[in-house]
Amino acid sequence: MMRCVRSLLRRPAGEALAGALALALALTLLPASGKAEDLVVDLSDDTINIESNFTGANIVVFGQIVRDAATVGRPEPYDLAVIVSGPETRVTTRRKGRFAGIWVNRDAETFLEVPSFLVTHTSRRANEIAPRPVLEQHRIGLFNLNLPITGDSGVPMSDRDNFRRAFLRLRVESGLYAERSGVIEFLSDTLFRTTVPLPANVPVGEYTVTTYLLRGGALLASNEQSLVVAKTGFEQLTYRLAYNYAAVYGLLAIALAVFTGWLAGVIFRRD
Amino acid sequence: MPSCPAGCDGCHAGALALRLALFVRAHRFNDQHAARDKERRSRRCLVQIYLPIAELPVNMFMLFGMGGAVGFLSGLFGIGGGFLLTPLLIFSGIPPAVSVATVTTQVVASSASGVVAYWRRKMIDFKLAIMLLVGGVIGSALGVWLFDMLRSLGQLDLVISLSYVTFLSTIGGLMLVESLRSMARRRSGAVMPARKPGQHNWVHGLPFKMRFRQSRLYVSVIPIVVLGAIIGFLGAVLGIGGGFMMVPALIYLLRVPTNIVIGTSLLQILVTMAAATFLHSVSTHSVDIVLALTLMVGGVIGAQFGARMGQKLRGDQLRLLLALLVLAVGMRFAVNLLIEPEELYSISVVEEVA
């Protein structure tokens, strides 16, 4: 269904209108499914291209809460959570300690599978939306992120929380993790939109944008979209060359350096 | 029943209003955004450049400036400038691994322009350079291997810092004492005793002697290969050319004529750093070609101005300034190690999880 919306969005207005009309007609005739609420979500872009002038980008997540006739109106408001998460990586968090008078890296904790990028947008503060188990299960809110560690960790239990907190703090400082509440804009009762800024140091890879619809602490519906962040053109070529054809890349770097040096020697020759 | 062109199913009712609204909203929004982005980009595109290997955007003028300033100093003092450039890059936020590997490439460029000039004047002893290189390649291979290992252990930054403190403080200190002495001597009017040609030190007692015609030298190859290896090793681990160590060692230890030393040392640095660039590319993948090129351009231009300026200053004054500079960089690293850092924690990505 998401693809419908996207294809409609990309076509000229007249054609889209005709398509939408036809589609709407078809949809109203469809029998209602068991679920009372559903989510329609799309992204402003499904690919973010990193070029030489890349300084970050914005991705707009928009959609609608779809209710059928059987939906019972309830007093609690709808809550939404949009989670943009990057490819999983294994990371080591190190802590400096004093050793023989100088400050060196001493203790380390390795987290096995943590997203390289994680932004959570919620309509209200995460702890107001749902009880902790629900939040933890769906990774809503940074402090509900499960950080699995290796079995052979040398850090005592009592100290592990310090590493967890430091990891989250550093990631937030570098702009790779963020948690924002009250940033999902409702354009009508059911129509919503939020803008997720991607910083310039955004890691490349396959991202998922997950949207959760909750009410009264219970999950009503969810939707998952994929987003690709990739280097393009020269950046991609350079990166590929450096990793897949490392020897060629090395020789190229040397040739470039020697040429630049030689050229400078010729241009500025004074004898 | 007309089906959705994208082949989806199970859509719910009430879709028309939604689609129209979304369509209008999203388009208006995107247009606004596109306009704003375009404006912002046109303002920034001259300044910001994305480094494909370091994976972050940097200010291009800052890189030109750093390359130019270091190039100026390298032209002024006749040094490669790697020992200044690497810390500058690290302090400006580029990952240490990328800084070190990329500076080796930059040193290739700056020494290449020097080699061209000395080659033309036939002031290079190729046989001596080859012997230094034999050691240099072994040294840089060891260095790159250690670099890779330390990086995985998380102690790379420490070793880089410690080595900088040790080498820069020692060499800066020695140079400071030497230059102050020679200034004092000049002021008191005393003449430095000329070295006699027959004079020998312990180096000349070693076996495997070899004749170097251009340098009018007959010495053992052992100290030459060892010297080359040490410089190559340091170059790979610290991203420095090592010219500021090589030149005094060749003059004082091996008694190579001064006019041959600089050209030969530059050639040796050129080849050793080229090898280090290659090895870094293959094993650590951390040479950033865009960063290197930006630094080179700034560097070679700065070096020309530096060289002109250098001709106006006296030798001992130059050495005093260089000594102070070397000491200052060393001290900067020492302070970092000794004072409790504000941020005790650091993160490093070990690997991508498939």
Side-chain angles (χ1 to χ4, degrees):
Chain A
M1 181 158 69
M2 284 73 246
R3 271 180 285 167
C4 296
V5 180
R6 194 175 291 157
S7 63
L8 284 176
L9 285 173
R10 288 192 182 144
R11 262 184 279 157
E15 204 187 322
L17 191 63
L21 271 167
L23 192 66
L25 195 67
L27 294 173
T28 42
L29 299 175
L30 275 175
S33 66
K35 265 179 165 178
E37 278 98 353
D38 204 354
L39 271 174
V40 188
V41 183
D42 202 7
L43 312 176
S44 55
D45 278 305
D46 50 13
T47 317
I48 299 288
N49 291 324
I50 297 184
E51 295 163 356
S52 58
N53 58 359
F54 183 73
T55 53
N58 281 316
I59 188 104
V60 183
V61 184
F62 57 93
Q64 191 185 29
I65 302 160
V66 185
R67 287 179 293 194
D68 61 17
T71 309
V72 192
R74 268 175 286 186
E76 298 106 323
Y78 283 119
D79 283 310
L80 281 163
V82 174
I83 294 148
V84 180
S85 64
E88 310 253 295
T89 51
R90 173 189 290 229
V91 296
T92 301
T93 305
R94 297 194 169 85
R95 184 172 58 195
K96 286 204 166 86
R98 212 173 192 136
F99 179 77
I102 57 170
W103 289 89
V104 300
N105 283 336
R106 301 201 73 178
D107 306 311
E109 179 90 290
T110 300
F111 300 115
L112 290 177
E113 282 169 18
V114 291
S116 51
F117 182 85
L118 185 69
V119 169
T120 313
H121 279 196
T122 47
S123 50
R124 284 193 289 169
R125 285 230 306 279
N127 56 4
E128 293 171 354
I129 292 179
R132 227 185 131 90
V134 178
L135 297 177
E136 270 178 9
Q137 193 190 341
H138 303 297
R139 289 179 160 187
I140 302 170
L142 289 190
F143 283 88
N144 301 311
L145 177 66
N146 180 30
L147 296 173
I149 54 167
T150 45
D152 55 353
S153 161
V155 179
M157 282 297 256
S158 56
D159 207 12
R160 283 187 185 161
D161 236 26
N162 293 331
F163 278 89
R164 272 178 60 95
R165 271 201 295 271
F167 170 78
L168 291 173
R169 190 184 69 237
L170 288 171
R171 278 280 159 106
V172 169
E173 278 170 15
S174 65
L176 294 177
Y177 279 22
E179 182 177 359
R180 303 181 190 98
S181 58
V183 289
I184 297 183
E185 199 181 339
F186 277 90
L187 305 167
S188 74
D189 284 351
T190 54
L191 211 55
F192 64 87
R193 180 182 75 194
T194 186
T195 306
V196 181
L198 302 178
N201 57 349
V202 64
V204 293
E206 305 244 335
Y207 284 60
T208 53
V209 179
T210 319
T211 310
Y212 293 108
L213 175 67
L214 303 103
R215 176 149 69 181
L219 184 71
L220 299 179
S222 70
N223 177 296
E224 197 172 294
Q225 297 285 306
S226 64
L227 170 70
V228 176
V229 176
K231 296 181 177 122
T232 49
F234 176 72
E235 275 61 41
Q236 186 191 31
L237 185 79
T238 313
Y239 190 84
R240 276 220 190 132
L241 205 62
Y243 279 83
N244 300 345
Y245 305 94
V248 177
Y249 181 84
L251 292 176
L252 206 68
I254 296 166
L256 191 71
V258 171
F259 176 74
T260 314
W262 170 81
L263 195 68
V266 170
I267 291 172
F268 294 100
R269 136 191 229 171
R270 270 172 293 148
D271 48 14
Chain B
M1 189 169 69
S3 65
C4 169
C8 61
D9 51 25
C11 298
H12 283 271
L16 176 62
L18 155 73
R19 279 168 184 74
L20 282 179
L22 283 184
F23 176 73
V24 172
R25 282 284 178 172
H27 267 255
R28 196 190 302 156
F29 194 81
N30 279 350
D31 286 351
Q32 279 173 7
H33 255 270
R36 218 181 307 153
D37 273 1
K38 206 172 168 187
E39 189 193 313
R40 198 169 51 198
R41 273 196 199 131
S42 64
R43 226 181 311 134
R44 279 197 195 165
C45 68
L46 286 172
V47 180
Q48 293 283 341
I49 182 167
Y50 186 86
L51 304 178
I53 305 296
E55 300 194 311
L56 46 90
V58 285
N59 188 315
M60 208 178 359
F61 289 130
M62 186 184 81
L63 288 185
F64 273 134
M66 284 193 319
V70 171
F72 179 81
L73 294 173
S74 81
L76 187 62
F77 299 122
I79 54 172
F83 77 96
L84 290 170
L85 195 51
T86 309
L88 267 177
L89 291 180
I90 295 175
F91 292 142
S92 67
I94 290 164
V98 176
S99 307
V100 168
T102 304
V103 168
T104 59
T105 320
Q106 201 271 345
V107 173
V108 170
S110 63
S111 49
S113 82
V115 165
V116 171
Y118 285 97
W119 197 333
R120 219 180 279 135
R121 293 178 214 153
K122 298 197 168 45
M123 279 168 23
I124 297 175
D125 184 335
F126 284 97
K127 197 173 176 188
L128 181 62
I130 288 168
M131 282 298 124
L132 284 168
L133 282 173
V134 171
V137 171
I138 300 169
S140 29
L142 273 175
V144 169
W145 170 77
L146 183 75
F147 185 87
D148 225 11
M149 198 183 70
L150 288 171
R151 188 160 76 155
S152 59
L153 285 177
Q155 299 297 352
L156 179 65
D157 300 6
L158 172 71
V159 171
I160 289 179
S161 300
L162 270 183
S163 314
Y164 266 105
V165 172
T166 320
F167 286 105
L168 298 187
S169 309
T170 313
I171 289 161
L174 287 174
M175 279 164 61
L176 186 68
V177 170
E178 192 274 333
S179 62
L180 286 177
R181 259 192 210 153
S182 97
M183 280 174 121
R185 242 197 327 263
R186 194 167 43 79
R187 210 160 288 155
S188 66
V191 188
M192 201 183 153
R195 193 170 284 119
K196 290 171 197 112
Q199 215 170 17
H200 281 145
N201 57 17
W202 58 272
V203 169
H204 294 79
L206 293 169
F208 305 112
K209 288 203 169 190
M210 195 180 247
R211 194 168 296 282
F212 298 95
R213 282 183 202 288
Q214 189 151 15
S215 308
R216 291 191 210 92
L217 219 61
Y218 183 62
V219 286
S220 159
V221 292
I222 295 171
I224 298 176
V225 172
V226 169
L227 180 65
I230 292 172
I231 305 277
F233 181 79
L234 292 174
V237 177
L238 303 180
I240 56 178
F244 71 105
M245 295 150 117
M246 174 79 96
V247 171
L250 286 179
I251 294 175
Y252 295 116
L253 221 59
L254 296 175
R255 305 277 159 75
V256 180
T258 314
N259 60 344
I260 304 286
V261 164
I262 298 174
T264 309
S265 135
L266 276 175
L267 180 64
Q268 128 82 13
I269 289 166
L270 169 69
V271 181
T272 315
M273 288 293 101
T277 297
F278 184 76
L279 293 169
H280 270 302
S281 301
V282 173
S283 76
T284 62
H285 305 285
S286 45
V287 174
D288 196 309
I289 217 162
V290 176
L291 178 61
L293 193 63
T294 323
L295 292 173
M296 277 175 215
V297 173
V300 291
I301 296 170
Q304 299 301 324
F305 289 103
R308 253 161 248 191
M309 180 85 171
Q311 288 163 350
K312 292 178 192 152
L313 287 169
R314 267 201 322 272
D316 49 3
Q317 284 173 337
L318 274 178
R319 286 202 299 275
L320 177 68
L321 285 174
L322 180 60
L324 291 175
L325 190 69
V326 170
L327 270 179
V329 177
M331 287 303 123
R332 177 72 176 82
F333 274 96
V335 165
N336 266 14
L337 283 176
L338 291 173
I339 287 177
E340 180 172 354
E342 266 177 42
E343 179 60 70
L344 289 176
Y345 291 88
S346 63
I347 304 179
S348 60
V349 175
V350 183
E351 61 180 319
E352 310 282 319
V353 180

